[in-house]
Amino acid sequence: MSQPVVVGVDASDTAASALDWASDEAWRRAEPLHVVHAWLGEAAEAPAGQEPRTARDTGEDLLDAARRRALLRHPGLAVTTALVQDEARAGLVAESESADLLVVGARGSGGFPRLLLGSTSLLAAGRAACPVVVVRPFEGASGGVVAAVRGDARDEPVLAFAFDSARLRQTSLLAVHTWSYPLLTSRGTLPVVYEAGDVAAEHERLLAEAVAGWRESHPEVPVTAVSVRTGAAKELVSRSKNQQLLVVGRRGKPRGPVGRLGSTSQTVVQHAECPVAVVPLPE
């Protein structure tokens, strides 16, 4: 059996959106859906006059409801569930080791209502062994897939994920490359004079080379490539409106408390208006 699409659920609205998105994605990929709820055994709140129920009992109910919801959305979908006796962040990262894709809601049932991104989602996006999609409630989209392109060899996993996502959705792909003039760090040197047209043309060449092979291998995907002199995060967030998916890379192996989300990918998952896929990149 192929590796599953794994989705973490709790009692939050964003978890319901993540479950629906993951169900659709598993159906598109013809892969099983594995629904996970992490618990630590603490007592859950109970209505007045009733005995408190354990977190395990509540988790079982959540998983049962999630399975029914997924099957109602896609009858015939292979759905499995699991209670994970662990803290949610660690549990989801562990599940990612055997997943094709991990899907999480942008914010869980804990924390503060105005948080843009919960700590569980942030850590999963920064540490998971597989690509992670962060989903927030949205009303659908008329656009396609957007991919952040650096213009070097590390683009391959991002472009592979983005082109495949566009193919499965039968939609278009927008490849976005951003750039800026190099900063001078040494003292006592003459100012560098840039030929704006030459620099822009070089970045356009890098972008064209990055997507050329993928255009050939995915002729069914309409591709638009744009190279813009601006900040990456700002441009990607602005391009996320009405899109089905935005794909960014995550550099290197996870290190530190929240893994290896760079400033661009962290800003994008916090502020994008569509689901964001974070794809691990090679060192």
Side-chain angles (χ1 to χ4, degrees), residues 4 7 12 21 33-34 38-39 48 52 57 59 71-72 105 113 121 126 131 160 173 178 181 185 189 204 236 249 256:
V7 58
S12 67
W21 195 96
L33 177 69
H34 187 52
W39 67 288
D57 292 336
L71 289 174
L72 183 63
S121 307
L173 174 67
T178 61
Y181 292 125
T185 57
T189 59
E204 289 173 0
L236 292 169

Side-chain angles (χ1 to χ4, degrees), residues 193-220:
V193 178
Y194 297 106
E195 285 290 342
D198 292 344
V199 176
E202 175 63 13
H203 283 281
E204 289 173 0
R205 182 189 66 79
L206 291 173
L207 174 59
E209 290 183 353
V211 301
W214 295 99
R215 285 182 188 270
E216 293 178 4
S217 62
H218 293 72
E220 72 279 21

Side-chain angles (χ1 to χ4, degrees), residues 183-271:
L183 294 176
L184 292 177
T185 57
S186 61
R187 297 180 178 180
T189 59
L190 293 175
V192 175
V193 178
Y194 297 106
E195 285 290 342
D198 292 344
V199 176
E202 175 63 13
H203 283 281
E204 289 173 0
R205 182 189 66 79
L206 291 173
L207 174 59
E209 290 183 353
V211 301
W214 295 99
R215 285 182 188 270
E216 293 178 4
S217 62
H218 293 72
E220 72 279 21
V221 177
V223 182
T224 301
V226 295
S227 177
V228 186
R229 181 192 168 198
T230 188
K234 177 182 177 182
E235 182 69 13
L236 292 169
V237 169
S238 71
R239 298 273 184 176
S240 70
K241 188 174 182 179
N242 292 326
Q243 301 294 341
Q244 296 185 44
L245 184 66
L246 173 57
V247 186
V248 297
R250 188 195 78 206
R251 294 172 295 175
K253 294 182 179 179
R255 297 187 180 94
V258 294
R260 283 295 298 271
L261 279 186
S263 59
T264 296
S265 54
Q266 183 167 329
T267 300
V268 167
V269 295
Q270 286 181 318
H271 296 283

